[in-house]
């Protein structure tokens, strides 16, 4: 995997750095990533892949590039995080299963709608799950009758 700096912006005491990352795949696939590192946060800003990545692959892309990116930055774990904090940051919060979990998903979804924000993103943040898993949880809440059907039947 190749990682090289693109550019850097310094403002007061904080530094935001952009990096190009190119994972190497044996099957000849090519993926070019533009990643941003700012304080204790690393995010993916742009991805270009040939052949296109599946949604599952795109969901784990950050995990693929995290270690080489931190090595390029010079941090063994997340920048400015202690190892204990980095592992705690990754831990998924406990989320109840069954009917209670579906009810909580529906409550989170409706609260986000009321606040005018993306309800799927709100469920993702509350559960700690990926977008795909959160959509499944929302569908389960709909099936349980806690949310209105997605489409009106004619």
């Amino acid at each position: 995997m190749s990682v090289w700096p693109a550019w850097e912006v310094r403002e007061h005491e904080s530094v935001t750095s952009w990096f190009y990352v190119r994972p190497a795949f044996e099957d000849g696939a090519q993926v070019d990533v533009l990643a941003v590192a700012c304080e204790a946060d690393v995010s993916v800003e742009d991805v270009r892949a040939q052949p296109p990545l599946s949604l599952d692959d795109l969901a784990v892309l950050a995990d693929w590039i995290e270690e080489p990116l931190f090595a390029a930055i010079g941090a063994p774990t997340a920048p400015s995080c202690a190892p204990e904090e980095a592992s705690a940051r990754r831990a998924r919060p406990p989320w109840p299963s069954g009917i209670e979990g579906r009810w909580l998903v529906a409550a989170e979804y409706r609260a986000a709608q009321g606040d005018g924000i993306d309800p799927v993103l709100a469920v993702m943040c509350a559960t700690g799950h990926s977008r795909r898993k959160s959509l499944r949880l929302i569908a389960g809440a709909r099936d349980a009758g806690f949310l209105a059907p997605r489409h009106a039947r004619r």
Side-chain angles (χ1 to χ4, degrees):
M1 185 168 308
S2 302
V3 178
W4 63 97
W7 63 90
E8 182 175 273
V9 175
R10 294 179 185 266
E11 185 177 6
H12 303 290
E13 301 214 358
S14 67
V15 176
T16 303
S17 303
W18 282 260
F19 292 89
Y20 291 114
V21 182
R22 182 174 288 158
F25 297 99
E26 293 177 8
D27 63 356
Q30 183 177 352
V31 179
D32 293 320
V33 179
L34 180 61
V36 181
C38 179
E39 296 178 11
D41 197 23
V42 174
S43 58
V44 173
E45 187 165 297
D46 187 35
V47 178
R48 294 176 189 220
Q50 191 61 351
L53 294 174
S54 69
L55 289 177
D56 292 334
D57 291 341
L58 193 58
V60 297
L61 179 66
D63 292 334
W64 289 348
I65 66 170
E66 184 177 54
E67 190 173 323
L69 186 58
F70 287 154
I73 294 170
T77 60
S80 74
C81 286
E84 309 84 49
E85 292 173 4
S87 63
R89 173 177 62 91
R90 296 183 154 280
R92 179 174 293 145
W95 193 259
S97 60
I99 201 78
E100 182 184 1
R102 290 184 191 111
W103 185 84
L104 290 172
V105 164
E108 193 69 38
Y109 188 94
R110 284 191 305 274
Q113 278 183 324
D115 293 342
I117 60 174
D118 182 13
V120 177
L121 185 59
V123 171
M124 289 171 59
C125 291
T127 63
H129 290 294
S130 68
R131 182 171 186 84
R132 187 177 206 170
K133 177 68 176 174
S134 295
L135 287 170
R136 284 187 192 144
L137 291 171
I138 292 166
R142 285 188 197 289
D143 291 344
F146 295 126
L147 293 172
R150 181 77 176 131
H151 300 287
R153 303 211 172 161
R154 297 177 189 204

